[in-house]
Amino acid sequence: MNARHPVDAVRDSLAAPALYEQVAERLRTRIYAHELAPGAWIDEQGLADEFGISRTPLREALKVLAAEGLVVLKPRRGCYVAALAERDLDEIFPILALLEGRVAEEATRRLAGLEAGVGRLASADFSRLEEIHADLERHAAAHDIDRFFATNQQFHSALQELAGNRWLSQLIDDTRKFLKLTRRDSLRLDGRLKQSLAEHRAILAAMKKQDAAAAALHMHNHILSGRAALAKLLVQP
Amino acid sequence: MNARHPVDAVRDSLAAPALYEQVAERLRTRIYAHELAPGAWIDEQGLADEFGISRTPLREALKVLAAEGLVVLKPRRGCYVAALAERDLDEIFPILALLEGRVAEEATRRLAGLEAGVGRLASADFSRLEEIHADLERHAAAHDIDRFFATNQQFHSALQELAGNRWLSQLIDDTRKFLKLTRRDSLRLDGRLKQSLAEHRAILAAMKKQDAAAAALHMHNHILSGRAALAKLLVQP
DNA sequence: CTGAATAATACTGTATCCATAATTATGAAT
DNA sequence: ATTCATAATTATGGATACAGTATTATTCAG
């Protein structure tokens, strides 16, 4: 029962994640929800008591979050939730635009079957993307911003899968994490929903025409457009 | 990493790094040197004894390295050094090309003073880059590959500083870390030194002409060219 | 001699404990 | 009353101890 069965892979995925990982996840949730606000000090003992665990796994979790950049560890002075400045947003969004643009480009190329090595994608994969977009249109019509937000994430994730570049996806996810630190949400801005949809349509149209460069450009602009909307939110929240 | 008071930075830099950080650094060194080879199991107790410390800080260091991607933590089964597949290289290099291309672009724009917000760079900053390149030329002429390698890193670092985008730099550094896992070094390939120099010259020339797009393109090709060289090394090392 | 079942071992994950550095509170002196 | 020095408190960093699980070794049956 201990030889290398294929079942092992399953068991690994089913195995309960280590405590420090669960704790890290709970902390991430709290940070994103601003229950632990940016800049706030993190009380190790307090949280450990609250979670009903010892400080050891909690500290390991904090090390992980620190490596991710969600918290900063000041030697001998404790742990603080990271805080983003406006300048950080100005630096992050263009990078995200670059990366997501690249995703759109690679996804389109794979759809067109131009990519060397990796196989050509079935048109069913693209249909899936169109379905998600259809959902988006529905949520927008219903002014259901929360569902729109969730589905929007799905859209970008699905596109990342189409691109099939794990490293690229990783970088994007890493980068997006920081944006979650600012809980401002450009989607609530008047007209932003409609604008966002139009941008998505442009991306999809370019992909359908198998114009990778255009898809990249539209995605690039889409992300920057999100930044611009966020900036408006700053002066009038 | 964000908007800290200058005083904090000083105090932080003077404070001795926590033990787990020192350990993480030592482990990185060993991993890069392949003393801990890709795929190898990491013996916590053994290393702790060797370093003369307990398992606690060592484990914290491993958590950090895991978050960085240098090692993988298998629950209940220990820690293993990460191993890159050829496919990973194929995915990483284009991303690096994208990011470093962007660095060249932003640096050039700042030199040209076209960037909004951030100040125009002095020509002295560009001279510094040219000096480093001159060093490179010398090391190449002397066939001193080790110094060339080190100075080459300086070149790219200096360029990143000119671009002045901390997040972009961070992503690049994070990405380059993985490449150090494969100890193959394209610079040792016949003719690669000369080729690399020529590519650098093209980048510098574009920057001097304040042609940001061209600078980006040349840098992009420079990185991909490095990948191509590496590929040759695979069949004949 | 081979393979399975079981016992022994080793390692991971977590909790507890201790030492040291940092912060706050207290008190004296100007 | 304010400021500086010193003491008390608290939190962090690290070591050690222990429990639970995976791996390896051993034994026994076929």
Side-chain angles (χ1 to χ4, degrees):
Chain A
M1 187 61 89
N2 35 21
R4 315 293 314 155
H5 277 141
V7 182
D8 283 349
V10 175
R11 183 173 48 183
D12 280 355
S13 65
L14 289 183
L19 187 52
Y20 83 91
E21 253 306 339
Q22 303 177 40
V23 171
E25 192 52 39
R26 290 181 72 172
L27 287 177
R28 285 190 199 99
T29 305
R30 290 210 178 186
I31 290 174
Y32 292 146
H34 278 51
E35 286 171 42
L36 293 170
W41 173 66
I42 293 179
D43 180 1
E44 290 183 2
Q45 190 62 61
L47 278 176
D49 291 346
E50 190 180 332
F51 289 169
I53 59 173
S54 79
R55 273 177 57 223
T56 308
L58 184 86
R59 282 178 54 192
E60 291 181 348
L62 289 179
K63 298 292 180 296
V64 172
L65 295 188
E68 292 177 5
L70 246 45
V71 301
V72 284
L73 252 35
K74 304 188 179 182
R76 285 274 162 207
R77 300 194 48 185
C79 184
Y80 297 80
V81 180
L84 286 189
E86 199 66 13
R87 176 183 161 188
D88 291 312
L89 294 181
D90 281 330
E91 292 186 359
I92 291 177
F93 269 91
I95 295 171
L96 198 59
L98 196 70
L99 296 174
E100 296 242 27
R102 177 69 176 211
V103 162
E105 186 178 330
E106 291 195 8
T108 306
R109 276 213 297 265
R110 283 189 76 190
L111 283 172
L114 301 176
E115 203 66 1
V118 286
R120 179 195 166 94
L121 291 175
S123 64
D125 297 307
F126 185 68
S127 304
R128 166 94 185 105
L129 205 62
E130 284 183 313
E131 278 169 30
I132 297 178
H133 177 75
D135 282 344
L136 273 179
E137 299 268 7
R138 275 188 287 277
H139 296 324
H143 289 282
D144 189 340
I145 295 186
D146 287 335
R147 280 221 175 74
F148 188 98
F149 187 82
T151 310
N152 190 44
Q153 283 192 315
Q154 269 184 44
F155 183 85
H156 287 267
S157 290
L159 204 54
Q160 279 175 233
E161 277 198 38
L162 289 191
N165 187 323
R166 291 164 302 166
W167 293 89
L168 189 49
S169 294
Q170 186 69 45
L171 281 189
I172 289 174
D173 293 343
D174 287 350
T175 305
R176 276 196 178 276
K177 263 205 317 264
F178 292 108
L179 296 184
K180 291 219 254 176
L181 281 174
T182 96
R183 217 174 20 164
R184 282 183 286 155
D185 182 1
S186 65
L187 289 176
R188 300 187 189 281
L189 203 73
D190 201 46
R192 176 61 193 148
L193 240 57
K194 223 171 281 183
Q195 189 187 13
S196 183
L197 280 176
E199 289 161 3
H200 277 201
R201 278 189 227 108
I203 296 166
L204 288 173
M207 291 182 70
K208 208 159 196 170
K209 278 195 290 184
Q210 304 191 345
D211 186 343
L217 187 65
H218 284 305
M219 177 60 88
H220 188 269
N221 292 339
H222 172 51
I223 304 292
L224 290 188
S225 166
R227 169 62 181 129
L230 212 59
K232 281 186 201 161
L233 219 58
L234 184 68
V235 287
Q236 198 171 42
Chain B
M1 182 86 152
N2 30 24
R4 288 190 317 212
H5 206 267
V7 177
D8 289 341
V10 173
R11 185 164 44 180
D12 283 356
S13 66
L14 288 182
L19 187 51
Y20 84 92
E21 254 304 341
Q22 302 178 40
V23 171
E25 193 51 39
R26 290 182 73 171
L27 288 176
R28 285 190 200 99
T29 305
R30 289 210 177 186
I31 290 174
Y32 292 146
H34 278 51
E35 286 170 41
L36 292 171
W41 172 66
I42 293 179
D43 180 2
E44 290 183 1
Q45 190 62 63
L47 278 176
D49 291 346
E50 190 180 333
F51 289 169
I53 59 172
S54 79
R55 277 177 55 226
T56 308
L58 186 84
R59 282 172 57 86
E60 291 179 348
L62 289 178
K63 298 290 180 295
V64 172
L65 295 188
E68 291 176 5
L70 246 43
V71 302
V72 283
L73 253 35
K74 303 189 180 179
R76 290 271 163 210
R77 302 193 52 183
C79 184
Y80 296 80
V81 180
L84 286 188
E86 199 65 14
R87 177 186 159 188
D88 291 314
L89 294 181
D90 282 330
E91 290 186 0
I92 291 177
F93 269 91
I95 295 171
L96 198 59
L98 196 69
L99 296 174
E100 296 243 28
R102 178 69 177 211
V103 162
E105 186 179 331
E106 291 195 7
T108 305
R109 276 213 297 263
R110 283 189 75 190
L111 282 173
L114 301 176
E115 202 65 3
V118 285
R120 178 196 168 94
L121 291 175
S123 64
D125 298 306
F126 184 68
S127 304
R128 166 94 184 105
L129 205 61
E130 285 183 312
E131 278 169 30
I132 296 178
H133 176 75
D135 282 344
L136 274 178
E137 299 269 8
R138 274 189 286 277
H139 296 325
H143 290 283
D144 188 340
I145 295 186
D146 288 334
R147 281 221 176 75
F148 188 98
F149 187 82
T151 309
N152 190 45
Q153 283 191 313
Q154 269 185 42
F155 183 84
H156 287 266
S157 291
L159 204 54
Q160 280 175 232
E161 277 198 37
L162 289 192
N165 187 324
R166 292 163 302 166
W167 293 89
L168 189 49
S169 293
Q170 185 69 46
L171 281 188
I172 290 174
D173 293 343
D174 287 349
T175 305
R176 276 198 177 274
K177 266 205 313 264
F178 292 109
L179 296 183
K180 291 219 255 176
L181 280 173
T182 95
R183 217 174 22 164
R184 283 182 284 153
D185 182 0
S186 65
L187 289 177
R188 299 188 189 283
L189 203 73
D190 202 45
R192 177 60 194 149
L193 241 56
K194 224 171 282 183
Q195 189 187 11
S196 184
L197 280 177
E199 290 161 2
H200 277 202
R201 278 188 227 109
I203 295 166
L204 288 173
M207 291 182 71
K208 208 159 193 169
K209 279 195 289 184
Q210 304 192 343
D211 186 343
L217 187 66
H218 284 304
M219 177 60 88
H220 188 268
N221 292 339
H222 173 51
I223 304 291
L224 290 187
S225 167
R227 168 62 181 127
L230 211 58
K232 280 187 201 163
L233 218 58
L234 184 67
V235 288
Q236 198 171 40

